[in-house]
Amino acid sequence: MSSIQYKALKRMHDILPPDIYIWQKVEAVGREIFSSYGFQEVRTPVAESTSVFTRSIGENTDIVEKEMYTFLDKGDRSISLRPEGTASVVRCYVEKNLHTLPSPQKFYYTGPMFRYERPQSGRFRQFYQIGVEAFGDPGPRIDAEVISMLRHCLEKIGLKEIIFNVNSIGCPDCRPVYREKLLGFFAGGLDRLCPDCNRRYHTNPLRILDCKVDRCVETRKGAPKVTDYLCEVCRTHFSSLLLFLELLGVSYIVNPDMVRGLDYYTRTTFEVTSKNLGAQNAVAAGGRYDRLVKEFGGPETPAIGFAIGMERIIELLKSSASHDFPRPDVFIAAIGELAAGESLVVADRLRTKGFWVEVGEAENSLKSQLRRADRLSSKYVFIIGDEELKAGRLKWKKLADSSQGDISMFEITDFLRLQSS
Ligand code: HAM
């Protein structure tokens, strides 16, 4: 019988130790920083009715047109795996009437997202985001606060050489004027744009500014800039945001070409890029979406948020620094049957105090148990034999410098605490 070789799906990946410790560290930093700004965790399902995403992200976006994992469930309902977190959080906000709570309501989330992307470095089909959404505050102050929070978070994680790109893409009052200007600019050069941009010309011309194809980059040189066509309200919002960012010491560049791949944004958009990644260089991105809650049937509610791409952060961290991974505090080697039993008791006692303890197999020689302790990079080895048992003592050895000694069984917790303090 031939055996089948099972493999994870393309661009979906397992996350294993020791990498998982870097993931946990990033998540812990996120939780700590977000909590200090009053953001609370929410967990929404990974699957939603497809319309939750088509309605919010936009029918004509790459995500909805090409990248969603959509299927009919057994009740013939169209279901999609979430390609991002914002739509689900907005659905939840409206469904659970969270707008009746005092404003602003601030949430964060982490978890897997799914996009059927073309295989490419930095692009996964299952990838993780850690994101935040703040509802109910229309002013530029919260935009600055959210961007500054992202900066704190990325700095604390240890990312270097990152750039904050900020932009305003206007509102339904001023964007149509800009759209007309763009259409006029590209009208004579459609043959120089790629097929996708020819389509975008009719559906969403702003996205032409974001196309990476060389001839589109060339053709759009000199295109009108969105920031030159903002209405008075959007312009004031944007200039106040920039002022607050300066006040908070966030360095940024205004990048009018930075339009986002999701349709729900109004006014503020931002993207954090890294010089040390390839073409997919955005490590985090977000913006304001003042119309989405209403679109979902809720009251008019301004909102802003961002999401950090975990895989890209982890790649940067792995290549830029060495990491200290956790290792056992103690490995207990036992010699003899009585000692084998006692080693379990000692291990249990230490584990309840929070130490990571591994227990050797007493059937194996001391040498082979010590070899295992070495392979595990245990900080200490405790050796318990019949002699030691009788005396109520054990031998300890510190693997880093081979220092050793013996202590009473009653002193081992204090001994370890002292060593690790
Ligand atoms: P997004 O720009 O689509 O925005 O994704 C945010 C981040 O997720 C990106 O900057 C990138 O780091 C990461 N990312 C996106 N797609 C992939 C992929 N295929 N593989 C690996 N990483 C990826 C959003 O998702 C919005 N929901 C952000 C937001 C929250 N806006 C307002 N609130």
Side-chain angles (χ1 to χ4, degrees):
M1 204 169 69
S2 70
S3 63
I4 304 171
Q5 287 265 311
Y6 290 105
K7 284 187 167 177
L9 298 176
K10 203 181 243 179
R11 305 310 283 169
M12 297 197 179
H13 51 107
D14 304 309
I15 309 162
L16 303 172
D19 286 0
I20 196 74
Y21 293 115
I22 312 180
W23 285 73
Q24 288 171 348
K25 184 185 154 204
V26 171
E27 285 161 2
V29 168
R31 283 175 203 284
E32 183 194 327
I33 304 269
F34 301 158
S35 305
S36 73
Y37 283 77
F39 285 72
Q40 303 183 82
E41 185 173 2
V42 285
R43 298 188 189 188
T44 60
V46 291
E48 300 268 359
S49 298
T50 298
S51 57
V52 166
F53 304 116
T54 49
R55 183 122 187 227
S56 53
I57 296 167
E59 298 274 2
N60 296 316
T61 56
D62 283 357
I63 295 180
V64 167
E65 273 185 350
K66 307 181 196 163
E67 297 169 2
M68 286 226 287
Y69 280 87
T70 298
F71 55 93
L72 289 180
D73 73 0
K74 291 191 194 306
D76 265 350
R77 287 168 287 252
S78 180
I79 307 286
S80 294
L81 298 184
R82 62 179 180 196
E84 56 108 49
T86 310
S88 303
V89 176
V90 172
R91 192 268 309 138
C92 164
Y93 181 83
V94 174
E95 183 185 339
K96 300 292 182 310
N97 290 317
L98 300 181
H99 48 83
T100 57
L101 301 172
S103 175
Q105 285 292 312
K106 300 184 274 190
F107 304 108
Y108 76 85
Y109 51 89
T110 72
M113 310 291 158
F114 304 84
R115 296 185 194 174
Y116 193 82
E117 300 260 24
R118 258 184 310 113
Q120 192 183 352
S121 160
R123 275 198 170 150
F124 295 89
R125 292 184 175 167
Q126 176 177 323
F127 61 98
Y128 286 73
Q129 284 186 343
I130 170 161
V132 309
E133 315 293 347
F135 295 93
D137 191 334
R141 228 173 348 172
I142 190 138
D143 300 18
E145 233 182 310
V146 161
I147 294 174
S148 178
M149 176 169 82
L150 176 59
R151 184 260 316 243
H152 275 141
C153 192
L154 297 178
E155 269 178 12
K156 183 136 195 198
I157 287 167
L159 287 201
K160 302 205 168 64
E161 301 189 297
I162 49 174
I163 300 161
F164 278 78
N165 299 264
V166 294
N167 193 16
S168 172
I169 57 164
C171 69
D173 283 340
C174 51
R175 209 177 310 154
V177 180
Y178 176 62
R179 191 175 185 276
E180 283 308 312
K181 285 279 166 201
L182 266 190
L183 291 177
F185 177 84
F186 286 116
L190 288 181
D191 52 338
R192 278 177 275 134
L193 295 176
C194 73
D196 270 348
C197 281
N198 266 281
R199 200 169 35 80
R200 285 171 188 144
Y201 181 82
H202 298 287
T203 55
N204 191 351
L206 260 78
R207 297 289 330 275
I208 301 174
L209 301 176
D210 200 31
C211 182
K212 306 277 188 291
V213 175
D214 286 346
R215 59 187 216 257
C216 300
V217 175
E218 194 54 38
T219 309
R220 69 168 175 253
K221 278 186 181 153
K225 301 214 175 307
V226 62
T227 38
D228 292 335
Y229 293 89
L230 297 178
C231 63
E232 187 58 36
V233 185
C234 287
R235 196 158 356 114
T236 310
H237 186 106
F238 193 45
S239 54
S240 305
L241 162 65
L242 299 185
L243 219 65
F244 287 132
L245 288 180
E246 274 152 38
L247 206 65
L248 288 165
V250 179
S251 359
Y252 62 84
I253 55 170
V254 174
N255 181 353
D257 284 347
M258 197 252 314
V259 288
R260 306 270 298 115
L262 305 108
D263 276 356
Y264 49 63
Y265 292 114
T266 45
R267 295 197 179 135
T268 308
T269 53
F270 53 95
E271 206 162 83
V272 184
T273 51
S274 162
K275 290 181 196 155
N276 303 318
L277 286 173
Q280 300 306 314
N281 63 355
V283 293
R288 180 167 273 286
Y289 50 96
D290 289 347
R291 291 156 51 87
L292 200 50
V293 173
K294 184 130 192 263
E295 277 280 310
F296 272 79
E300 203 136 325
T301 309
I304 181 164
F306 65 72
I308 298 173
M310 287 290 285
E311 282 74 5
R312 296 186 191 170
I313 300 271
I314 304 293
E315 188 188 331
L316 285 172
L317 290 180
K318 276 171 68 177
S319 59
S320 69
S322 60
H323 297 274
D324 247 356
F325 297 117
R327 53 204 179 100
D329 294 297
V330 183
F331 182 97
I332 305 180
I335 311 161
E337 217 163 286
L338 279 181
E342 185 61 20
S343 66
L344 289 181
V345 177
V346 173
D348 252 20
R349 217 168 74 215
L350 288 173
R351 286 166 180 156
T352 60
K353 307 283 183 215
F355 294 107
W356 175 357
V357 185
E358 295 289 334
V359 182
E361 288 175 29
E363 307 77 57
N364 294 342
S365 68
L366 179 62
K367 199 169 160 197
S368 112
Q369 292 186 62
L370 292 182
R371 224 180 300 135
R372 202 175 134 221
D374 210 33
R375 261 203 311 272
L376 288 168
S377 301
S378 182
K379 293 173 200 159
Y380 285 87
V381 177
F382 287 174
I383 302 168
I384 309 179
D386 290 347
E387 287 297 302
E388 285 82 7
L389 255 188
K390 264 188 242 149
R393 300 182 74 79
L394 54 73
K395 287 200 178 101
W396 62 265
K397 187 170 177 187
K398 187 176 181 183
L399 291 188
D401 59 10
S402 298
S403 56
Q404 51 191 320
D406 78 323
I407 45 166
S408 148
M409 292 276 197
F410 297 107
E411 288 167 2
I412 51 181
T413 310
D414 288 341
F415 171 80
L416 286 175
R417 280 208 182 115
L418 213 68
Q419 303 300 319
S420 55
S421 64

